[in-house]
Amino acid sequence: MGQKVGLIGCGVMGSALMSGIIHNNKVLPEDVIVWDISAKKLEETRDRLKVKAAANNAEVLNFARTIFLAVKPQDLYAVLEDIKNEIEDRHLLVSAAAGIGISEISRIVGSEKKVIRLMPNTPCLIGSGMIAISPGPGIEVKELDYIEELLKPLGKSVVLDEKFMDAVTGLSGSGPAYVFMFIEALADGGVKAGLPRDTALLLACQTVLGAAGMVLKTGEHPSVLKDRVTSPGGTTIAGIYALEKKSFKGTVIKAVEAAVKRSKELGREREDKGWKRKPEDI
Ligand SMILES: NC(=O)c1ccc[n+]([C@@H]2O[C@H](COP(=O)([O-])OP(=O)(O)OC[C@H]3O[C@@H](n4cnc5c(N)ncnc54)[C@H](OP(=O)(O)O)[C@@H]3O)[C@@H](O)[C@H]2O)c1
């Protein structure tokens, strides 16, 4: 399915997405067109990726079949209004905008148009991301497979019903921030125990990376792996006891729960206020 690909919004996520796709030869640079309202970002992306730069949204749709939408959620309304009359049956819209549902996109562009929704996270910037993919109505398996293949260089992906997107946001979307805090805390613990700061940070990072890798590679439940390194009366159980006295697991569960709740609230707020506003009011 060699296709031409377009990107609207060359910011942090859009650039990461297109860099990964091009640098891993999923699409040739000459088959990619990008557009951004900011001339500086447009030129920088064009020069760095050696792709075509469009003069407007319409040119992206004219050239490409698969269009990644990577503008901020509050800017998506204006983009959709601008492109809705240019969208043909051959087009596949792939939106990365957090909190904007497929039905909201379809309401503007038309329910017969093909839409896929993504929820990526920041480690996509280094090819170690997690992306949830939700297909809209009418998306064929081969189209979904094509998008999964394109996104492979950015990390792992999972196809999920859109009803799970708030849960995904609370876990893998917000999750990197929780893990950054955990890494910082581990390193602080090492510094408290006398380690130099840079050594402590390296130890903390590699420990988190290695532990995550073990869960993924062995397929064992984390509790089984934990039990294996917890000798009776040893150091690890002393550390685990200190964590559990402060409800470590309960606190992390509550963090995910709070983020999911906030994601739902933001979605409702956007529908009530922002999303229903006309483009000129945004
Ligand atoms: N960054 C992440 O880690 C992450 C994670 C998950 C999901 N996402 C989603 O990815 C999307 C992009 O996020 P981001 O962090 O990459 O944002 P960003 O860095 O601000 O990039 C968005 C780009 O779109 C441009 N833009 C605004 N209005 C436009 C228009 N009408 N036509 C064309 N371009 C326009 C912006 O230009 P100006 O700067 O001039 O406005 C900016 O260059 C968002 O919807 C976000 O929810 C991001």
Side-chain angles (χ1 to χ4, degrees):
M1 227 186 191
Q3 289 178 4
K4 293 184 171 141
V5 173
L7 168 69
I8 297 178
C10 304
V12 178
M13 191 45 72
S15 294
L17 209 117
M18 224 28 98
S19 300
I21 290 174
I22 290 172
H23 290 141
N24 289 276
N25 304 317
K26 297 289 177 193
V27 183
L28 296 171
E30 57 263 37
D31 287 336
V32 174
I33 193 162
V34 299
W35 163 243
D36 195 291
I37 208 164
S38 148
K40 189 167 167 267
K41 282 187 202 160
L42 180 64
E43 283 164 21
E44 190 277 326
T45 309
R46 177 198 63 194
D47 296 346
R48 188 168 47 84
L49 300 178
K50 313 275 180 263
V51 294
K52 292 181 206 308
N56 48 42
N57 286 319
E59 202 181 328
V60 176
L61 273 94
N62 191 30
F63 180 85
R65 181 184 178 276
T66 302
I67 324 283
F68 286 94
L69 302 170
V71 298
K72 290 279 189 209
Q74 63 270 26
D75 295 321
L76 189 63
Y77 186 97
V79 170
L80 294 175
E81 281 291 337
D82 197 33
I83 65 173
K84 67 180 181 188
N85 295 325
E86 316 287 337
I87 307 171
E88 300 167 4
D89 291 348
R90 69 188 178 95
H91 286 125
L92 183 58
L93 297 182
V94 185
S95 169
I100 310 283
I102 292 169
S103 61
E104 292 162 85
I105 295 173
S106 298
R107 188 172 59 78
I108 295 170
V109 301
S111 57
E112 73 289 358
K113 305 289 163 40
K114 290 183 175 177
V115 181
I116 288 179
R117 184 176 162 196
L118 305 180
M119 183 60 209
N121 66 5
T122 45
C124 284
L125 307 186
I126 58 153
S128 297
M130 186 68 234
I131 309 175
I133 306 175
S134 292
I139 297 294
E140 294 172 28
V141 173
K142 65 176 181 194
E143 291 169 320
L144 204 50
D145 289 348
Y146 169 67
I147 295 301
E148 275 197 280
E149 189 57 37
L150 272 187
L151 296 174
K152 258 187 193 163
L154 280 83
K156 290 190 183 298
S157 67
V158 61
V159 176
L160 281 178
D161 190 298
E162 200 189 7
K163 70 181 179 196
F164 296 117
M165 278 299 190
D166 289 311
V168 168
T169 304
L171 202 170
S172 57
S174 304
Y178 317 151
V179 179
F180 295 145
M181 287 174 72
F182 181 60
I183 289 172
E184 184 191 10
L186 272 183
D188 280 348
V191 171
K192 189 157 192 307
L195 286 170
R197 168 64 64 185
D198 53 351
T199 306
L201 198 53
L202 174 66
L203 264 60
C205 287
Q206 188 58 25
T207 301
V208 170
L209 192 66
M214 272 190 84
V215 177
L216 287 175
K217 278 202 179 127
T218 63
E220 297 270 26
H221 192 277
S223 65
V224 171
L225 296 171
K226 178 215 63 174
D227 285 355
R228 269 190 211 141
V229 292
T230 309
S231 34
T235 57
T236 308
I237 193 65
I240 288 171
Y241 178 54
L243 283 173
E244 280 308 303
K245 267 205 296 198
K246 295 286 182 189
S247 298
F248 177 68
K249 285 199 282 184
T251 306
V252 175
I253 293 167
K254 274 190 193 155
V256 176
E257 196 178 37
V260 174
K261 183 166 170 274
R262 187 67 189 132
S263 176
K264 287 181 179 163
E265 281 169 7
L266 285 174
R268 279 195 296 271
E269 280 172 22
R270 195 167 281 130
E271 269 197 58
D272 292 346
K273 299 184 210 147
W275 188 251
K276 281 185 182 157
R277 281 183 295 171
K278 294 193 171 69
E280 57 268 30
D281 300 330
I282 293 174

